[in-house]
Each structure stands twice: as C-alpha cells, then as structure tokens.
Amino acid sequence: MMKDRVAETPLRYVALMRGINVGGKNMLPMKDLVGFFEAAGCGQVATYIQSGNVVFCADDKVVKRLETVIAMKVEERFGLKVPVVLRTASEMKAVVRGNPFLKAGAAEEMLHVSFLADCPGKNLVAGLDAMRSPPDEFAVIGREIYMKLVNGAARTKLTNAYFDSKLQTVSTMRNWRTVLKLAEMMA
C-alpha cells in the first residue's frame, strides 16, 4: 500500500518552451500559459520570467501527454508552434552539478545550456563541428548541451537550429542564471 502512494506522488517538473516572448515575437501571456498547465492537470504552477519557463507538479499520467497538450493549446489559442521540453527536479539538479565548463572555472555569464527533447545518438554527436563558432565551446552530455559562449548567445553559431538539424531533435537554450533559478524553484 505504501509503495502505491509513493508511485502516485506528483513530481516537480519544469517545462522549457522555445521562442516565447523573444524580441517582441511569439507573444504569450504567462497567465494564459499557467491556465493551460492547470487545465491539463498540473498543480503548483509557477512561471519564471516571460520566456516560457513553467515549474509545476504532476503525476505520470499527466506528464506523458503534457508536451503534446501544451503545444496544441498554444497553437490553437495563439497560432504559435512552440516546442516543449520537460525535465524533472532531479534532472535539473544533475544539470547544475554536471556543467563541465563551470567545473573548469568559466565565468557564469558565459554559460548556457541547451535542453534536448531526446538523447542524440553517439554518431550524431560525433558529427558536430567543434570549430563551428570559435572561441565558443560545447559539450553534449546526455540530453543537454553545455556551452561556453565567450561573445554571448547573440553572436554564436551554436544555435538551436544548428543542433536540431545535426542531432535530429528539438532543443531550447537557457542562460546559466536561468538554469540555476529554475533548479532553485524546483527544490
């Protein structure tokens, strides 16, 4: 009986949506986004900044269909095709602990993480061009791409479009400050 209760306990998640409210485009009010998550069966829904970061609790049944449901609601209501990538609280803790550039002493303001919808195959990762955007660096670890962007995200050639095409998945990038804040919100 105790085991069943543990299995049904809702977990903390973050939904990372790409391209929301960036540069005055793809405008989506956060109150509407919160409403979509609540209507889908999520609880304790909170957003962070206006760029599509949603922290929430949900059980497995809700989470299994959530990416599709939220993407569909956003498209129906606002006409936007927005990828949704999910991570659990424990996965976000692992992202924070696993940043190889932070461990090597890189300045936090240079650090970014791209969250991938799927884990890319080793052959696809091997096909990435390490010299695509020098002096920027990246490391693919599981479903994350850690990046040290020396001249900032606006000047790099290490973009979502590049990684999506080469790794055959969907990605969404966050700066290190946002990653830390989201992990803190999920704790």
Side-chain angles (χ1 to χ4, degrees):
M1 192 80 134
M2 180 70 153
K3 188 177 180 183
D4 290 337
R5 284 187 185 163
V6 171
E8 294 175 14
T9 303
L11 292 175
R12 301 277 296 157
Y13 290 87
V14 64
L16 305 160
M17 303 174 73
R18 184 165 85 191
I20 296 294
N21 299 338
V22 176
K25 296 180 182 176
N26 294 344
M27 300 307 290
L28 181 91
M30 293 299 102
K31 66 179 171 84
D32 291 330
L33 194 53
V34 167
F36 294 157
F37 277 81
E38 289 173 342
C42 300
Q44 301 177 27
V45 181
T47 61
Y48 175 66
I49 59 178
Q50 299 292 310
S51 59
N53 303 298
V54 184
V55 174
F56 61 94
C57 288
D59 62 31
D60 290 344
K61 186 171 77 172
V62 170
V63 170
K64 282 182 183 177
R65 57 184 173 76
L66 193 62
E67 291 166 312
T68 303
V69 167
I70 296 300
M72 184 182 72
K73 290 289 184 190
V74 169
E75 186 172 5
E76 284 174 3
R77 178 93 175 264
F78 296 98
L80 305 173
K81 289 186 183 272
V82 177
V84 180
V85 177
L86 300 178
R87 292 294 186 270
T88 65
S90 62
E91 289 170 330
M92 285 299 284
K93 281 183 192 175
V95 168
V96 170
R97 285 191 314 264
N99 191 325
F101 299 112
L102 187 63
K103 291 176 183 177
E108 287 189 13
E109 59 272 8
M110 292 183 191
L111 303 180
H112 294 73
V113 179
S114 273
F115 295 88
L116 304 174
D118 305 295
C119 193
K122 289 180 182 181
N123 60 324
L124 296 175
V125 173
L128 294 172
D129 179 4
M131 296 306 296
R132 178 172 172 77
S133 188
D136 298 337
E137 298 177 62
F138 66 90
V140 180
I141 302 174
R143 292 187 303 156
E144 277 70 46
I145 304 170
Y146 294 93
M147 290 177 274
K148 182 174 90 172
L149 305 179
V150 176
N151 297 311
R155 292 193 177 106
T156 190
K157 292 179 183 175
L158 301 175
T159 62
N160 288 326
Y162 172 70
F163 288 120
D164 288 2
S165 69
K166 296 295 184 182
L167 299 177
Q168 300 175 7
T169 189
V170 172
S171 63
T172 184
M173 186 189 305
R174 297 297 185 274
N175 66 45
W176 191 244
R177 184 180 65 245
T178 298
V179 171
L180 293 176
K181 182 61 178 179
L182 292 171
E184 177 187 312
M185 290 174 67
M186 297 172 78

